[in-house]
Amino acid sequence: MADTPELSGPDLEQGIPEGDLADGAMLGGHARGKPVLLARRGGEVFAVGAQCTHYGGPLAEGLFVGHTVRCPWHHACFDVRTGEATCAPALNPLARWTVARRDGKLVVTEEHEAPDGATPLGTPAAPEPAVRSIVVVGAGAAGEAAVEMLRRRGFDGTLTFVGADPSDPVDRPNLSKDYLAGNAPEEWIPLRDEAFYAAHRVDLVRGRRATSVDAAARAVVLDDGRRLTYDRLLIATGAEPVRLPLPGGDLPHVRYLRTLADSRAIIAAAEHAKRALVMGASFIGLEVAASLRTRGLEVHVVAPDARPLERVLGPEVGDWVRALHESHGVTFHLGRTATRVEPTRVALDDGATVDADLVVIGVGVRPALALAESAGAAIDKGVTVNEYLETTVPNVYAAGDIARYPDARTGERVRVEHWVVAERLGQTAARNMLGARERFADVPFFWSAHYDRVINYVGHAERWDAVEVNGDLAAGDATVAYRLGGRVLAVATVGRDRAALEADEAMARGDDAALERAIR
Ligand SMILES: Cc1cc2nc3c(=O)[nH]c(=O)nc-3n(C[C@H](O)[C@H](O)[C@H](O)COP(=O)(O)OP(=O)(O)OC[C@H]3O[C@@H](n4cnc5c(N)ncnc54)[C@H](O)[C@@H]3O)c2cc1C
Ligand code: FES
């Protein structure tokens, strides 16, 4: 998805002195007009593509841990030995290059092009023989990542992928960002196309809703009456926007945003609208505000909170985000709620009215639990799953926004609404459906983009008693730590991708000293 990369660093076809690459070090260069990353671990030297296959992040600026290189932008992981994208959000592997040793130099020679993310690399794990048929319900982040991982790990049986949306699975985070702002072409949005599913024998059932699960018969029932039997079932039905029961809330210029169709409808409306009112100062609400400003609309944000994003990111970041949006011309009406929508204006609870010919409501989402409930799965503010992502119903797994899983760091059950977590839950569930018995232990991560600023967030802090800002938020260069009883539970960064990555690694290892270093 990135533009043609600018080449930097040494020409690796000419080679570099062996001594220039220390054990554990990475170096970015190029060969045959392509960016290439060299990495050394012990006596072995590896060369892979230097651009992340997610959005093209510069891997040389990431972290190299064991045999894994991690992308500084959204924390994807790649194994430098095989190129495999071992953890989302990247799905496709990196190309590998041959490295030769010549006259004391490391020289990059031949390129081995990468296959797609559903193709097994090396010897895939042998799937459990009892598993011949898998159904995945929910063609979103978790479902898509799961389907690909099933094939990548060598599952050869019947694979049915059911999605209520008429479109192929999409890059949902982009729907409120560059795509909505008009800076990303439509072809960036689908995660995969028809040919991909055909090549991997995935039966993608588009535009159909699974209505119930007959767990005793191990069958999923679709809204056209079809029954799909399974040996293993993954439920990944995601979340749905909370709808406000507002007078005038069903007028045609009132929009919600979850699907590609929703984003297209907002874009179509924005082409004729002059003033937009966004209800909700959530991540999605604010990203919509930024995108509509980029399109030149006047934008008002109405929210009951005292500050945007304060509940998740605290007052300091909230004030900064507000100032950032105001500097781009957004007008906030905080501490206010809308009471009525009319065709050309919205009434607020203080009696004021705001003119608006486009209204976007982003006041949170609710997990889509009905299907899991019909299976008889235990529900507690989400679908209860264990560390292997099994629900309480045999052979039924859950992943993504619906899953409430035990957080490896705190032991508390959490349910998070993050793209990367959803994909990784899907990937882990897939391996476990094939018999891996792998605990889900990833540190939660999300990002959010506002104009040219990106907030990265690692960890999970539902509450905290201290917020510590290091650096300068206004200058777009800061680390913010959220502590409870002195312990860092989560870290947000602006303009410090590397610190976010180091904090992620430190949390994953349970290394509190390294975590303290990362936030300085
Ligand atoms: C506009 C937008 C921007 C976002 N930006 C970010 C971001 O920047 N960073 C971040 O970390 N997160 C972001 N998120 C959140 C992220 O997209 C979600 O956490 C993630 O998509 C959850 O994945 P999922 O697979 O659980 O659900 P989804 O991706 O929502 O997929 C669930 C799918 O299941 C389908 N479905 C539901 N019920 C049924 C049924 N009964 N039968 C068949 N199909 C069904 C739905 O149609 C849907 O396609 C954003 C979300 C939105 C809407
Ligand atoms: S660009 Fe590398 S993870 Fe997104």
Side-chain angles (χ1 to χ4, degrees):
M1 285 194 186
D3 298 334
T4 312
E6 276 185 29
L7 300 178
S8 60
D11 179 348
L12 298 173
E13 280 185 284
Q14 298 299 318
I16 57 159
E18 249 205 271
D20 285 6
L21 190 68
D23 184 15
M26 297 193 291
L27 183 147
H30 55 94
R32 295 188 198 164
K34 295 182 183 176
V36 174
L37 182 76
L38 273 185
R40 182 198 286 263
R41 183 61 67 202
E44 286 187 287
V45 179
F46 306 92
V48 289
Q51 268 193 308
C52 178
T53 59
H54 179 228
Y55 275 19
L59 295 178
E61 294 169 25
L63 277 187
F64 185 38
V65 182
H67 285 94
T68 299
V69 57
R70 302 204 62 189
C71 178
W73 286 1
H74 315 109
H75 300 198
C77 322
F78 298 91
D79 188 321
V80 291
R81 294 167 295 191
T82 58
E84 181 181 354
T86 47
C87 62
L91 297 174
N92 286 333
L94 299 169
R96 286 184 307 110
W97 294 72
T98 301
V99 186
R101 287 183 158 95
R102 283 186 200 148
D103 306 326
K105 280 184 159 185
L106 298 170
V107 180
V108 166
T109 58
E110 194 190 346
E111 181 183 11
H112 310 276
E113 270 180 35
D116 66 37
T119 303
L121 288 171
T123 314
E128 239 182 50
V131 183
R132 295 305 310 147
S133 166
I134 296 180
V135 176
V136 174
V137 179
E144 172 62 31
V147 160
E148 297 197 17
M149 186 55 75
L150 287 168
R151 286 298 189 226
R152 202 195 293 175
R153 286 289 176 270
F155 174 64
D156 198 32
T158 307
L159 182 49
T160 314
F161 188 21
V162 185
D165 293 335
S167 64
D168 288 335
V170 295
D171 182 5
R172 210 176 292 289
N174 214 325
L175 299 181
S176 51
K177 303 182 181 69
D178 283 347
Y179 178 68
L180 186 61
N183 296 331
E186 179 99 14
E187 71 246 30
W188 285 13
I189 300 306
L191 292 176
R192 299 298 188 191
D193 61 14
E194 206 158 334
F196 174 88
Y197 296 111
H200 295 287
R201 293 178 300 107
V202 176
D203 183 10
L204 175 56
V205 183
R206 294 180 193 78
R208 290 263 74 101
R209 190 164 279 280
T211 51
S212 63
V213 175
D214 179 348
R218 295 214 302 227
V220 178
V221 182
L222 305 191
D223 56 3
D224 60 359
R226 238 181 305 173
R227 283 173 74 86
L228 306 169
T229 54
Y230 62 82
D231 296 319
R232 299 285 183 274
L233 167 65
L234 176 64
I235 303 181
T237 42
E240 286 152 7
V242 172
R243 309 259 158 191
L244 285 184
L246 203 60
D250 52 359
L251 286 166
H253 69 301
V254 179
R255 297 283 164 189
Y256 291 82
L257 176 54
R258 184 77 189 179
T259 65
L260 175 56
D262 294 338
S263 191
R264 281 183 183 143
I266 297 172
I267 291 169
E271 269 155 25
H272 308 288
K274 292 202 164 30
R275 299 184 101 200
L277 184 143
V278 176
M279 285 183 210
S282 62
F283 289 102
I284 291 182
L286 292 178
E287 288 186 354
V288 168
S291 295
L292 294 179
R293 280 299 300 139
T294 305
R295 283 184 177 271
L297 273 74
E298 190 179 323
V299 176
H300 292 252
V301 173
V302 175
D305 324 69
R307 295 180 177 89
L309 305 182
E310 183 173 10
R311 195 179 51 77
V312 183
L313 295 178
E316 296 81 358
V317 179
D319 284 341
W320 167 71
V321 166
R322 176 181 179 162
L324 174 68
H325 280 268
E326 284 176 340
S327 74
H328 283 84
V330 172
T331 305
F332 283 91
H333 304 263
L334 296 170
R336 296 270 69 89
T337 55
T339 54
R340 192 177 65 256
V341 182
E342 295 172 8
T344 57
R345 59 184 195 163
V346 175
L348 306 188
D349 58 354
D350 62 353
T353 57
V354 179
D355 287 345
D357 45 9
L358 170 61
V359 175
V360 183
I361 303 183
V363 292
V365 296
R366 240 181 235 120
L369 304 175
L371 190 68
E373 249 165 340
S374 80
I379 306 282
D380 172 21
K381 293 177 268 174
V383 181
T384 305
V385 292
N386 63 13
E387 62 271 48
Y388 305 110
L389 311 180
E390 294 165 313
T391 69
T392 51
V393 179
N395 306 310
V396 180
Y397 294 69
D401 282 1
I402 60 168
R404 195 139 179 275
Y405 64 90
D407 178 59
R409 205 156 166 257
T410 61
E412 283 176 26
R413 258 172 218 288
V414 294
R415 189 185 70 74
V416 295
E417 295 159 359
H418 308 343
W419 180 257
V420 172
V421 176
E423 290 187 315
R424 292 187 188 172
L425 286 164
Q427 292 177 324
T428 303
R431 292 188 289 261
N432 286 340
M433 287 194 287
L434 301 179
R437 296 303 281 174
E438 188 185 306
R439 287 167 199 273
F440 184 78
D442 286 29
V443 176
F445 165 80
F446 75 80
W447 81 99
S448 181
H450 307 254
Y451 314 98
D452 58 348
R453 297 284 188 234
V454 178
I455 304 167
N456 280 357
Y457 181 98
V458 293
H460 185 74
E462 278 178 21
R463 57 186 195 286
W464 57 80
D465 54 26
V467 180
E468 183 184 315
V469 181
N470 291 302
D472 184 353
L473 278 166
D477 175 29
T479 308
V480 185
Y482 301 86
R483 294 181 188 269
L484 186 65
R487 191 175 186 216
V488 177
L489 296 184
V491 175
T493 64
V494 179
R496 292 190 180 177
D497 292 346
R498 173 105 186 168
L501 202 47
E502 284 168 353
D504 191 337
E505 276 296 326
M507 284 186 195
R509 288 198 312 273
D511 185 342
D512 285 346
L515 183 54
E516 293 293 339
R517 283 195 299 279
I519 61 175
R520 299 284 152 218

